[in-house]
Amino acid sequence: MRSIGRFTAWATTLATAVGATIVIAGSPASADAGGYWAWQCDPGRACLHLSGGRAAPGGPYWNVNGCGPHQIGDYYDFAIARGNHFIVTYIDDRWDRVDAWTSRDLDPANLATNVWVFC
């Protein structure tokens, strides 16, 4: 078992690396053509908010178009379902479900790779 001091040092190093990755990424990764950037979550959309206070040229919200799977590749801290429920999948195969007409926090330090909108 690791000592508390060694564990704290390891956790600090990991948190610093994740934070640096988000900062180095700088501008948002491009998502597939199944959506658009905006300054708000538009009606009828599944929306993801970029983490780290970042914004794309169109805004910090990725508004997903249509049903089914959509490839993404960035870090998001918040999700809003202004219609159907959806699932956000992360690179480590964990996922978060956002129920219809709700919002929730996402894991801002975990790379989101896919959004599946259920219609």
Side-chain angles (χ1 to χ4, degrees):
M1 184 184 319
R2 292 183 179 165
S3 70
I4 292 176
R6 288 182 66 192
F7 178 78
T8 302
W10 173 80
T12 301
T13 302
L14 180 61
T16 302
V18 168
T21 301
I22 292 172
V23 170
I24 289 171
S27 62
S30 58
D32 69 11
Y36 57 92
W37 294 106
W39 291 101
Q40 73 282 330
C41 182
D42 291 335
R45 303 284 181 206
C47 300
L48 304 171
H49 184 269
L50 284 168
S51 65
R54 298 172 302 132
Y61 286 94
W62 180 249
N63 283 255
V64 179
N65 283 333
C67 304
H70 299 272
Q71 298 298 314
I72 56 174
D74 213 324
Y75 298 88
Y76 300 92
D77 59 9
F78 193 70
I80 303 170
R82 297 210 47 202
N84 298 325
H85 78 276
F86 63 95
I87 293 178
V88 177
T89 306
Y90 301 101
I91 195 158
D92 63 0
D93 291 327
R94 289 186 316 114
W95 51 271
D96 282 320
R97 178 186 165 117
V98 184
D99 290 322
W101 305 106
T102 67
S103 59
R104 65 165 295 159
D105 291 332
L106 298 176
D107 183 351
N110 203 350
L111 180 68
T113 59
N114 189 53
V115 174
W116 191 293
V117 180
F118 293 86
C119 297

